[in-house]
Amino acid sequence: MTFAAKILKPRHGRLDLRAGRVELSHGSGGRAMAQLIAEVFQPALGNAFLAQGNDQAILPPAGGRLAMTTDGYVVSPLFFPGGDIGSLAVHGTVNDLAMAGATPLYLTASFIIEEGFPLADLVRIAVSMGRAARAAGVPVVTGDTKVVERGKADGVFISTAGVGVVPAGLDLSGDRARPGDAVILSGSIGDHGVAIMSCRENLKFDTEVRSDSAPLHGLVAAMVAAAAPHLRLMRDPTRGGLAATLNEIAQQSGVGFAVDEARILVKPQVAAACELLGLDPLFVANEGKLLAVVEPAGVDAVLGAMRAHPFGRDAAHIGTVVKDEHRFVQMTTAFGGGRIVDWLAGEQLPRIC
Amino acid sequence: MTFAAKILKPRHGRLDLRAGRVELSHGSGGRAMAQLIAEVFQPALGNAFLAQGNDQAILPPAGGRLAMTTDGYVVSPLFFPGGDIGSLAVHGTVNDLAMAGATPLYLTASFIIEEGFPLADLVRIAVSMGRAARAAGVPVVTGDTKVVERGKADGVFISTAGVGVVPAGLDLSGDRARPGDAVILSGSIGDHGVAIMSCRENLKFDTEVRSDSAPLHGLVAAMVAAAAPHLRLMRDPTRGGLAATLNEIAQQSGVGFAVDEARILVKPQVAAACELLGLDPLFVANEGKLLAVVEPAGVDAVLGAMRAHPFGRDAAHIGTVVKDEHRFVQMTTAFGGGRIVDWLAGEQLPRIC
């Protein structure tokens, strides 16, 4: 049963969206759930598909290979500079589709809510989710709400799934990196993770660190238009950061990487916060960046397209795929030395997304 | 980032799947997460799509209108007679697609796990989910794992989403019931909710009450093959039970219902448990039953097709759609009297699915 099913009007009064709280009955399938959906989710997320009012959304034929993904969001705190769990859930799922070169079409949203959660916060999250979905042009077509007892969850968890369609002829995959390919990064790293950690530690900086949470499908579309035949793969370095992403691709493709630390952009305030928190920005999560592996012949076209897009202005060619049976990620440091970037670190940052 | 991405082999020892527990690092995007996925989820859920190893699954074109749905599962206890949260998550999402007459194609699974959860239980859930998915012929093509701190969740929550394709010409929707249509129920009611409540209350009966959790797309396909032009709508009476489902349809279609209690099958042990627990089976959740609204001309064909299917053997014509501006669900009781079946009750059963 999805929340699209609950389109009837409740009979008794309206919810107190300023001071009210979520109750167990709001997840029961009865009239209280209908009211929560009618007064919170429908106004925030409403679109023609959601309004069908059945336990599933019926959508036009997609015409092409489908891409499908899912992600759970348990970020703490729920609200942070640059976003919240609602917008993050939209961006994260849109981005996982975009990394296959897919055009994201539809999202679903499953809310698991702790009893007693303030309705005002739920409205804020739903409104933010709806705004992010509209801005991305990817509607939330169906959803579900469950409520668990106080102390059995932590505010709100959201799981989103997404469906997209892959343009004909495009085949991006983590196993396609080849020695000699270029590694391109769309911008600065560490912003999201540091924004979250700064919230938790209540750190104040002269310049606030904001999450980079953003939908990347427009940037990807520009890259595909500019140089589709030269694109090997794309991936967004979320949990585990750039280090985990490079190591994953190294394993999948059976290659190594040689990257140049001096070409990896870290904003000064992010670098300062990382120093204070004992974090290495290479291992810190991003939510609005992508890494692309590109044939040498396509580098200029890809970089040109990226730098012309608001989310790729700082795109840089940070390194090269190398032949390496050990599948190491090697980095030339800013001081001219070298190190192996493993991905063991970064496990100390739970609930970053 | 989805768990499809984590295909590499971990370097250090194997997980202790008998006595080990889930740790925060298993949700971090690092090597521990890779190990959890490689040793728990891949063996249980593995299929060619999941093995692609990217942050999304790429799937063949679907060729037709898409159906899309999602559901969160927070059932407590996680294991119950007749199923567990893993099989329930497969069946519930398959059924929400099937209720549109759609052929379910693919599932996604998002796991939110509490730190300290026994690995043995996680394996049991994943294996059950994989078995249910294979039995239904609907693979879990991509997934995600998050871990939250001890006390911030309750064991495991699962959110599934599903995509299916709707046969050409078929248009089932909750607003299509018309006065004179027949109401058909596929079998007994109350089994799932009573199985869960009996577990919680530690009730013992001579005959164990088992959940009816089952995938209904095969039954639906048989009904569509037998009488597609006569089918108005289908719905599975989950949370809120048969009472909520009838009231929802009454609201959506602007009609009333007249149903006959004597024709609604309630197993003796379910009736006995309901009496003991103070529940009305009309309001208790089902997870393997469907209600169909059918044009009178199609009733015999639909009933014939249903009774020939293992999940529709006890199908019965339980009532009629009537003209009623009040949109009431009226029931002739077994004693010959009458009552209005509202849907206010049933809000006292949290976490039934």
Side-chain angles (χ1 to χ4, degrees), chain B residues 43-75:
Chain B
L45 301 176
N47 56 69
F49 299 118
L50 197 61
Q52 288 173 1
N54 292 303
D55 284 353
Q56 67 298 116
I58 303 299
L59 311 161
R65 288 170 298 162
L66 297 178
M68 201 170 173
T69 192
T70 191
D71 256 310
Y73 294 88
V74 298
V75 65

Side-chain angles (χ1 to χ4, degrees), chain A residues 6 53 56 59 66 96 248, chain B residues 6 56 59 66 96 248:
Chain A
K6 306 300 173 187
Q56 69 297 116
L59 311 160
L66 297 179
D96 273 346
E248 276 171 39
Chain B
K6 306 301 173 187
Q56 67 298 116
L59 311 161
L66 297 178
D96 273 347
E248 278 172 38

Side-chain angles (χ1 to χ4, degrees), chain A residues 201-212:
Chain A
E201 307 288 334
N202 206 14
L203 296 183
K204 301 282 179 211
F205 302 97
D206 292 345
T207 310
E208 183 186 55
V209 177
R210 293 174 66 81
S211 168
D212 57 343

Side-chain angles (χ1 to χ4, degrees), chain B residues 147-160:
Chain B
V147 181
V148 299
E149 306 90 330
R150 206 179 287 265
K152 300 295 188 187
D154 191 18
V156 173
F157 302 141
I158 302 176
S159 290
T160 43

Side-chain angles (χ1 to χ4, degrees), chain A residues 1-9 11-12 24-34 52-74 76 92 95-100 102 105-112 141-149 151-154 157-163 166 172-175 234-241 244-245 247-248 251-252 326-328 342-351 353, chain B residues 1-9 11-12 24-34 52-74 76 92 95-100 102 105-112 141-149 151-154 157-163 166 172-175 234-241 244-245 247-248 251-252 326-328 342-351 353:
Chain A
M1 179 179 296
T2 69
F3 67 55
K6 306 300 173 187
I7 58 165
L8 76 166
K9 288 217 174 64
R11 286 191 195 146
H12 316 291
L24 281 175
S25 63
H26 287 129
S28 68
R31 198 179 294 277
M33 189 168 92
Q52 288 173 2
N54 293 303
D55 285 352
Q56 69 297 116
I58 303 299
L59 311 160
R65 287 170 298 162
L66 297 179
M68 201 169 172
T69 193
T70 191
D71 256 311
Y73 294 89
V74 299
S76 173
N95 291 351
D96 273 346
L97 294 173
M99 292 309 108
L105 296 176
Y106 311 112
L107 300 175
T108 66
S110 161
F111 285 78
I112 296 173
V141 296
T142 187
D144 184 60
T145 307
K146 293 290 189 307
V147 181
V148 299
E149 306 89 331
K152 300 295 187 186
D154 191 17
F157 303 141
I158 302 177
S159 290
T160 42
V163 163
V166 187
L172 308 181
S173 178
D175 58 4
M234 294 188 238
R235 195 157 286 179
D236 53 338
T238 54
R239 275 183 291 179
T245 297
N247 275 285
E248 276 171 39
Q251 292 293 335
Q252 278 187 268
H326 296 105
R327 307 179 182 190
F328 283 152
D342 202 355
W343 64 345
L344 281 170
E347 300 188 346
Q348 317 308 331
L349 294 176
R351 303 186 61 187
C353 60
Chain B
M1 178 178 296
T2 68
F3 66 55
K6 306 301 173 187
I7 57 164
L8 74 166
K9 286 217 175 65
R11 285 191 197 147
H12 315 291
L24 281 174
S25 63
H26 287 129
S28 68
R31 198 180 294 276
M33 190 166 92
Q52 288 173 1
N54 292 303
D55 284 353
Q56 67 298 116
I58 303 299
L59 311 161
R65 288 170 298 162
L66 297 178
M68 201 170 173
T69 192
T70 191
D71 256 310
Y73 294 88
V74 298
S76 174
N95 291 350
D96 273 347
L97 294 172
M99 294 307 109
L105 296 176
Y106 310 114
L107 299 175
T108 67
S110 161
F111 285 77
I112 296 174
V141 296
T142 187
D144 184 60
T145 307
K146 293 290 188 308
V147 181
V148 299
E149 306 90 330
K152 300 295 188 187
D154 191 18
F157 302 141
I158 302 176
S159 290
T160 43
V163 162
V166 186
L172 308 181
S173 177
D175 58 4
M234 292 187 239
R235 195 156 286 178
D236 55 336
T238 54
R239 275 183 292 180
T245 296
N247 274 283
E248 278 172 38
Q251 292 292 335
Q252 277 187 268
H326 297 104
R327 306 178 181 190
F328 283 152
D342 202 355
W343 64 345
L344 281 170
E347 299 186 348
Q348 317 308 330
L349 295 177
R351 303 185 61 187
C353 61

